[in-house]
Amino acid sequence: IEGAGVLCRVPAWWRRGSSSVSVTERIGDLGPGIGIGSEALLSTTPSFTVDGEELTREEILDLLERTEGLALIKGKWVEVDHDRLKRLLRLFDEARGQEMSIFEALRASAGGRGQEGLIEVERGKWLDGLLRRKRMTAGDELPPVPSTIAATLRGYQEKGYAWLVRMNDLGFGACLADDMGLGKTVQLLSAVHSLRDADPEAPPVLVVAPTSVLGAWEEEARRFAPDLDARVVAGTARRRGTSVAEECAGAHLVITSYTIARLEAGQWAAQEFSGLVVDEAQTVKNPRTAVHAALAAVRAPWCFAVTGTPVENSVADLWSVLALACPGLLPRWEVFNERIRKPVESGRDPAALDRLRRLIAPFVLRRTKEEVAPDLPDKVETLARVELGEEHRHIYEQHLTRERARALSLMEDFPRNRMDVLASITRLRQLALDPALVDGAYAHVGSAKTEYLVGQLVQIVPRGHQALVFSQFTSFLARIRRALERRGITVAQLDGATRGRARVIERFRSGAASVFLISLKAGGTGLTLTEADYVYVMDPWWNPAAEAQAVDRAHRIGQSKKVNVYRLVADDTIEAKVVELQDRKRRLVSKVVDGAAAGASLGAEDLRALLE
């Protein structure tokens, strides 16, 4: 509490000797430079004294209940500053109730990042890092980017690289949460290279990423840091014929997938690394999964989490990411859920949001395209409402009545029937797209959205434009593909069944295919497809962050053309309800990280609203 001073004082007309009431000096005031505030460093129990005699809890409560400014305490008359006393007690209670373990749990340096059974480090190391961080100012000279990095970093990228290096120097992990398309990978590679230069004999750095982006990491490592020995571990030991230890021997950078990290968790935990990079960290937003446990067990002194959407579905996502990058910063899950997540997402306690943002501010770096890349071409977004044809509308309404009644009855016991409710809603979403996705007997009906898309593409493709087309449903992409090929439009497709991803991606980049059909799950992250200047999102998803990630495959650094984005919505269907849900989630999302972006998870009330 900056400049809290004396909470109670003897009035001037009664001042005899040195009688006063003050807080025992236990508070290390780091000030606003650290961004956490003193409340994160409080001891577990506040101590109040009058002339050296400690007040009991009952005496403190009695002070708070008094309306007059004077009180007789320990035989002394004192004047009570109620507002300041209440504020201090609230902060003490907050720190204790949330079980802030800043002092006690910088667990990463003790060999792990989990929440249970790990060795704790001394308070002094954490506090020393905080104090050194306070002394940093905006005027400090940035550490130079390694000369061996084969790229000219933009100003904001240099600052991001310097921030990562400094956080490591202080003994902290961090979350690089730049907007999608701002070049987070090159900032990470520069930081890894700098740390390697400082200790050439250090073990390799481990990068864990979705399978879909392993090729991109390997490509960018070779392009920007060619002198680093970067190795991709993409298969299990049986397929590779080598152990994890053999793959890591002599390497500078080891890149593997979340799947392999989970399947061979024991081997990865037995290997020593000089650092851990968790890319597309929103992938491990559930802390109770085996893959999160596998990453928590990795032996590395630091962890950098990298994600354009640190809060994708819920504020809980942020807890999961920071539990790996900055263990001990946030309270344990049960306390976080009750004291922070629920009050923030319900909006009933604005102070909880403020506390959360102050806590994470020093450890999360977030820049948006609008802030740091004004030269990026415009992104023009259009919500295209599509009317269903007469027969299509009749089929949809028939199924709507049945599915709505079924789902609403199941919601009487939502926890048990959640998957069945979601299945009903999914069928309605498919019916809004193309009734043939639900029943092949409707194949002759066609899809108004497919007709809209084909009508657009036959106009723009002959003029040299390229387009990305996203959908949640691979069966729908297959029907679109047949419709486009009948019109002579060349197509590439990427989904979960695709083999030879690199070859398929290159076919589009080279211009051999004018349209790239991509399933949101398989290609919504990790790709750079700046050859495209048109993007079509065929079906709205209730997670707006996932849609934004997909769109930014084209709208990112390296794009030289205006990007036109069309989000297709079947009018007067469940899709219109999904769009309303997206809007509500965007408003909540934007409160946490960048003054924008953290949606609520999909709960019973959300699903009920989709059906009404």
Side-chain angles (χ1 to χ4, degrees), residues 206-390:
L206 174 63
V207 176
V208 183
T211 302
S212 61
V213 304
L214 297 186
W217 261 98
E218 183 179 28
E219 178 185 337
E220 297 207 16
R222 290 177 178 172
R223 177 184 174 189
F224 297 127
D227 58 330
L228 287 182
D229 182 352
R231 303 177 190 175
V232 173
V233 181
T236 60
R238 177 177 294 182
R239 292 182 59 187
R240 298 191 310 264
T242 58
S243 66
V244 167
E246 290 171 323
E247 292 285 351
C248 293
H252 300 145
L253 193 66
V254 178
I255 307 163
T256 195
S257 68
Y258 286 110
T259 302
I260 300 303
R262 173 178 56 83
L263 293 176
E264 298 181 341
Q267 291 192 53
W268 294 107
Q271 183 69 31
E272 184 180 359
F273 295 97
S274 61
L276 171 64
V277 175
V278 182
D279 191 26
E280 301 293 352
Q282 73 277 0
T283 305
V284 286
K285 60 192 175 188
N286 185 348
R288 294 175 175 82
T289 58
V291 67
H292 194 280
L295 296 180
V298 171
R299 291 194 297 144
W302 54 263
C303 173
F304 293 152
V306 189
T307 173
T309 52
V311 181
E312 191 176 55
N313 280 318
S314 166
V315 177
D317 301 347
L318 187 63
W319 187 94
S320 185
V321 170
L322 291 178
L324 294 172
C326 305
L329 174 64
L330 296 177
R332 61 186 176 87
W333 167 247
E334 293 79 7
V335 177
F336 179 86
N337 190 47
E338 290 299 321
R339 299 292 186 93
I340 298 179
R341 186 189 71 81
K342 289 181 179 179
V344 167
E345 292 185 355
S346 68
R348 69 173 185 265
D349 183 5
L353 174 62
D354 182 60
R355 292 195 297 270
L356 175 60
R357 293 181 68 175
R358 284 186 288 115
L359 268 175
I360 68 173
F363 303 96
V364 178
L365 181 61
R366 171 77 168 174
R367 280 86 57 89
T368 65
K369 291 175 183 174
E370 292 75 15
E371 292 171 339
V372 299
D375 56 331
L376 198 62
D378 290 341
K379 178 173 63 175
V380 180
E381 302 192 53
T382 302
L383 185 68
R385 297 191 177 275
V386 179
E387 289 286 344
L388 301 186
E390 184 176 350

Side-chain angles (χ1 to χ4, degrees), residues 575-603:
E575 289 190 346
K577 296 287 188 177
V578 172
V579 171
E580 293 175 9
L581 176 61
Q582 285 182 336
D583 290 339
R584 292 201 302 272
K585 293 182 75 171
R586 284 192 187 96
R587 287 194 294 270
L588 178 60
V589 168
S590 71
K591 296 176 182 177
V592 178
V593 194
D594 54 8
S601 56
L602 199 63

